């Protein structure tokens, strides 16, 4: 994989084709579990693990799976990986597992994972497919972190609430102090739609400004061709 190909895959996953802001995939878990930054990032990391290994497995098996049954086979692979992640969360982060609940098993039907498996991993080599899965997953994670942090900050005035479920002894950071009354709608479902709408609007504004800046830049100038006289002079000098 060339450096340019790596940059293109990274740019697509992190920004240009971001699953949460550009493709608008997997909105159910994005909106439902993003009440705090810790919960949102935890589900995002679980999705990254599944997406990365699923892309690698599907890319390696793509020449052995008949085209007619590819979707059931892809879902079977994803379901096996989700089961492993689900059991790992239950074993090592049991309190967090109870909070995330059904949303970890629902990664099986998450259209983000299935879309990348079908659109990219089934058509490319294992290395680029693995990188694509990682970058698409990281693109989802930063959106979840920003959305969860924004909702938690406005709704409760804290950040990293629930971190003690992952790091024993750690505690949430109270940004606005204990007297902050909270903004209830931010942590309710309507607040998720409002916050995601704001993020999408900012995303579109940034893309519009980047496109306008690219249009204002002059095209690269091509080197002028050598004239006949210059070519004859070079030939005489060489002789």
């Amino acid at each position: 994989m060339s450096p340019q190909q790596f940059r293109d895959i990274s740019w697509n996953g992190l920004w240009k084709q971001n699953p949460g802001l550009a493709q608008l995939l997997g909105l159910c878990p994005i909106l439902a579990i993003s009440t705090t930054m810790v919960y949102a990032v935890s589900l995002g990391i679980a999705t990254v693990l599944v997406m990365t290994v699923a892309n690698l497995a599907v890319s390696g098996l793509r020449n052995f799976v008949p085209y007619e049954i590819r979707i059931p086979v892809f879902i079977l692979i994803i379901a096996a990986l989700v089961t492993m992640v689900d059991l790992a969360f239950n074993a090592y982060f049991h309190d967090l597992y109870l909070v995330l609940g059904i949303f970890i098993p629902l990664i099986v039907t998450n259209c983000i994972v299935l879309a990348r498996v079908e659109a990219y991993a089934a058509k490319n080599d294992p290395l680029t497919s693995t990188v694509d899965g990682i970058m698409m997953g990281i693109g989802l994670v930063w959106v979840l972190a920003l959305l969860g942090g924004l909702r938690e900050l406005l709704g409760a005035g804290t950040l990293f609430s629930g971190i003690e479920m992952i790091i024993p002894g750690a505690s949430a950071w109270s940004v606005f102090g204990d007297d902050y009354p909270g903004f209830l709608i931010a942590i309710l479902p309507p607040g998720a739609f409002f916050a995601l709408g704001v993020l999408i609007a900012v995303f579109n504004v940034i893309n519009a400004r980047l496109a306008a800046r690219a249009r204002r830049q002059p095209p690269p100038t091509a080197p002028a061709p050598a004239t006949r006289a210059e070519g004859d002079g070079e030939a005489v000098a060489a002789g």
Side-chain angles (χ1 to χ4, degrees), residues 183-203:
F183 187 51
L184 182 60
I185 194 173
I187 56 177
L188 293 177
F193 283 98
F194 292 146
L196 182 61
V198 170
L199 293 182
I200 294 174
V202 173
F203 176 78

Side-chain angles (χ1 to χ4, degrees), residues 148-186:
L150 181 63
R151 294 181 63 193
E152 180 185 357
L153 184 63
L154 295 177
T158 62
L159 285 176
F160 306 109
S161 177
I163 191 65
E164 67 278 359
M165 300 179 184
I166 302 176
I167 305 176
S171 59
W173 178 29
S174 181
V175 179
F176 298 142
D178 297 334
D179 296 333
Y180 180 67
F183 187 51
L184 182 60
I185 194 173

Side-chain angles (χ1 to χ4, degrees), residues 80-94 97 104-105:
L81 296 172
V82 170
T83 301
M84 296 171 62
V85 171
D86 185 68
L87 293 175
F89 266 71
N90 192 9
Y92 298 106
F93 307 105
H94 184 68
Y97 170 80
I104 295 180

Side-chain angles (χ1 to χ4, degrees), residues 31-187:
L31 297 175
I33 207 63
S34 60
T35 53
T36 72
M37 181 184 291
V38 171
Y39 300 161
V41 172
S42 299
L43 185 64
I45 292 175
T47 307
V48 171
L49 295 175
V50 173
M51 189 182 303
T52 302
V53 182
N55 274 19
L56 175 62
V58 169
S59 179
L61 297 173
R62 70 187 190 280
N63 295 325
F64 303 99
V65 178
Y67 182 80
E68 295 77 11
I69 62 170
R70 70 191 188 286
I71 299 300
V73 173
F74 295 166
I75 293 177
L76 182 62
I77 294 173
I78 296 171
L81 296 172
V82 170
T83 301
M84 296 171 62
V85 171
D86 185 68
L87 293 175
F89 266 71
N90 192 9
Y92 298 106
F93 307 105
H94 184 68
D95 293 336
L96 182 62
Y97 170 80
L98 295 177
V99 173
L100 297 180
I102 192 61
F103 291 103
I104 295 180
L106 282 179
I107 297 176
V108 176
T109 59
N110 194 323
C111 48
I112 298 175
V113 182
L114 187 58
R116 296 318 298 173
V117 165
E118 168 67 13
Y120 197 91
K123 302 177 179 65
N124 293 276
D125 62 274
L127 178 58
T128 56
S129 298
T130 302
V131 174
D132 177 79
I134 294 173
M135 292 305 170
M136 283 289 172
I138 295 176
L140 175 66
V141 168
W142 79 256
V143 172
L144 283 170
L146 188 58
L147 183 62
L150 181 63
R151 294 181 63 193
E152 180 185 357
L153 184 63
L154 295 177
T158 62
L159 285 176
F160 306 109
S161 177
I163 191 65
E164 67 278 359
M165 300 179 184
I166 302 176
I167 305 176
S171 59
W173 178 29
S174 181
V175 179
F176 298 142
D178 297 334
D179 296 333
Y180 180 67
F183 187 51
L184 182 60
I185 194 173
I187 56 177

